[in-house]
Amino acid sequence: MPQLTREEIINYLESDDKTEILFSLAREKRGQVFGDKIFLYGFVYFSTWCRNNCNFCYFRSDNKIDRYRKSKEEVLDIAVRLVDSGVNLIDLTMGEDTFYYDEDFETVISIIREIKKLGVPVMVSPGVVERKVIDCFAEAGADWYSIYQETYNRELFAKLRINQDFDKRMEGRKYARQKGMLIEDGILAGIGESAEDIAESLFLMGDAGAYQVRVMSFVPQNGTPMESVTTPDRNTEYKVIALMRLLYPNALIPASLDVDGIAGLKKRIEAGANVVTSIIPPGTGLMGVARSTMDVDEGGRTFKEVAAVLEEMGLKAVGREEYKNYIGGF
Ligand code: SF4
């Protein structure tokens, strides 16, 4: 059962008086459950084509940008590089690319099967898909189905995810759970939400059975309707990470390299995160989501660099078997 009341969550979010205490409690809680262990995820954003028009997203269909769709061989090459570097999981992410939606999910399913043969867990982040596609993901061995609600305030959701169905996203998550997959949910910070909205989202993510919960600060993207909205102070994101840790001590809670690159890692780990996401090999032409190119080709998002930062903090990147054992216990 959650250890914090709604009022306590709102107080932490609205006042900075107890922020350092909050972070320290969150670190203590992480230490009790995970010791000094941190998990690292590889990120393969294999298609930046998307049929949707989310107001916050660089890859929305109306944005006239260069896009790519990696071939199966390219995806597998990148996955092998990531696995060899030591990551605990491969996150296969795509926009809602009509190439797959209208004709060819079989390619994605075969990629999952091939990556599973490498002995590494797989997370699939494809957007909203039909039940029969989720069935195939589960049968192919995908461990996680990731789909972010962004907010549980329906009005705000409608402003962000234009013409998309709030309940369909929820149902997809629920169905994947029934099929035995683990689920990840996430919210955005700095998109006009109130402290009450955040508290509500935190409780509902847990109720839906998400074992991985995340928050990322909104970053304005060129060419989108929200390009002139200011990116929020990161303190809210850090506090939400800490609140998630206190509410859900056993959860996997990411520190994403996608918002502030490697420079933003330490603060998120200090707030109680225990997973580092968006590790991308340099020179692959892959993009991130919130900061599409930050630190990618400079090599700032590699396993080695993340592990070095963790070591400086007295923490350690753990091996794949340990990760598998952990998620096997969910
Ligand atoms: S957030 Fe996802 S679904 Fe929305 S436009 Fe971007 S890639 Fe498409």
Side-chain angles (χ1 to χ4, degrees):
M1 279 298 286
Q3 305 287 306
L4 289 169
T5 65
R6 190 174 297 263
E7 290 66 35
E8 285 169 324
I9 293 172
I10 292 169
N11 282 342
Y12 275 124
L13 290 168
E14 288 184 338
S15 155
D16 281 334
D17 293 351
K18 292 190 189 159
T19 301
E20 287 312 318
I21 297 171
L22 173 66
F23 295 156
S24 151
L25 289 171
R27 285 194 297 275
E28 191 184 320
K29 191 60 86 182
R30 182 187 64 209
Q32 285 165 3
V33 180
F34 296 94
D36 59 358
K37 296 168 192 164
I38 304 285
F39 303 115
L40 274 61
Y41 289 2
F43 185 61
V44 187
Y45 191 13
F46 63 96
S47 174
T48 57
W49 289 92
C50 187
R51 62 184 179 177
N52 286 332
N53 244 330
C54 300
N55 272 342
F56 57 90
C57 180
Y58 184 61
F59 302 100
R60 70 197 303 270
S61 61
D62 283 356
N63 211 9
K64 303 296 169 229
I65 54 169
D66 290 335
R67 298 175 189 265
Y68 62 77
R69 179 183 303 117
K70 297 289 183 190
S71 68
K72 177 176 171 181
E73 291 67 33
E74 286 171 310
V75 175
L76 293 177
D77 277 355
I78 296 163
V80 167
R81 278 179 66 183
L82 282 165
V83 170
D84 288 348
S85 77
V87 299
N88 300 129
L89 168 144
I90 300 292
D91 175 3
L92 288 172
T93 293
M94 57 183 265
E96 294 194 9
D97 181 350
T98 49
F99 173 79
Y100 298 115
Y101 275 73
D102 294 345
E103 37 192 304
D104 187 30
F105 261 111
E106 192 45 51
T107 300
V108 181
I109 293 157
S110 68
I111 290 172
I112 295 170
R113 280 202 199 98
E114 291 300 318
I115 297 179
K116 286 293 291 187
K117 286 183 195 161
L118 303 172
V120 64
V122 170
M123 172 180 279
V124 60
S125 314
V128 176
V129 293
E130 288 179 37
R131 283 184 167 209
K132 63 180 185 201
V133 177
I134 294 179
D135 291 343
C136 293
F137 289 157
E139 279 159 25
D143 301 85
W144 291 88
Y145 178 65
S146 169
I147 185 164
Y148 309 157
Q149 204 69 18
E150 318 299 358
T151 175
Y152 278 78
N153 175 328
R154 285 174 182 263
E155 241 172 79
L156 201 47
F157 177 95
K159 287 184 194 161
L160 296 171
R161 289 196 165 271
I162 308 303
N163 296 327
Q164 291 171 56
D165 190 324
F166 182 98
D167 294 304
K168 232 174 167 179
R169 280 185 102 70
M170 301 279 290
E171 279 161 24
R173 208 178 287 118
K174 197 168 155 195
Y175 184 67
R177 187 85 197 97
Q178 281 168 18
K179 295 299 292 182
M181 294 171 81
L182 301 171
I183 53 173
E184 182 192 32
D185 193 359
I187 56 173
L188 264 177
I191 34 87
E193 76 285 5
S194 65
E196 286 82 357
D197 290 334
I198 295 176
E200 178 76 356
S201 297
L202 290 179
F203 286 125
L204 291 176
M205 285 195 283
D207 288 350
Y211 286 117
Q212 182 161 304
V213 283
R214 75 157 68 209
V215 54
M216 285 168 71
S217 294
F218 164 74
V219 177
Q221 305 293 329
N222 287 339
T224 67
M226 291 173 74
E227 72 179 347
S228 49
V229 176
T230 315
T231 193
D233 180 290
R234 296 293 182 263
N235 220 23
T236 301
E237 180 182 333
Y238 304 153
K239 286 186 195 178
V240 174
I241 288 174
L243 291 166
M244 285 172 166
R245 174 61 60 215
L246 296 185
L247 283 169
Y248 307 113
N250 299 322
L252 296 162
I253 301 175
S256 176
L257 298 173
D258 214 33
V259 181
D260 295 319
I262 192 88
L265 178 58
K266 212 169 158 202
K267 291 292 284 184
R268 290 169 173 82
I269 297 288
E270 281 173 349
N274 67 330
V275 179
V276 182
T277 60
S278 293
I279 290 176
I280 304 177
T284 52
L286 286 182
M287 288 182 154
V289 177
R291 303 264 196 193
S292 52
T293 54
M294 181 186 245
D295 284 350
V296 176
D297 279 335
E298 300 88 327
R301 293 205 202 175
T302 63
F303 182 98
K304 207 169 146 197
E305 286 170 77
V306 170
V309 173
L310 296 176
E311 200 178 325
E312 271 170 37
M313 299 178 74
L315 298 166
K316 68 173 186 229
V318 298
R320 207 140 43 231
E321 292 311 313
E322 215 162 333
Y323 176 73
K324 284 195 214 169
N325 286 340
Y326 189 73
I327 62 170
F330 279 140

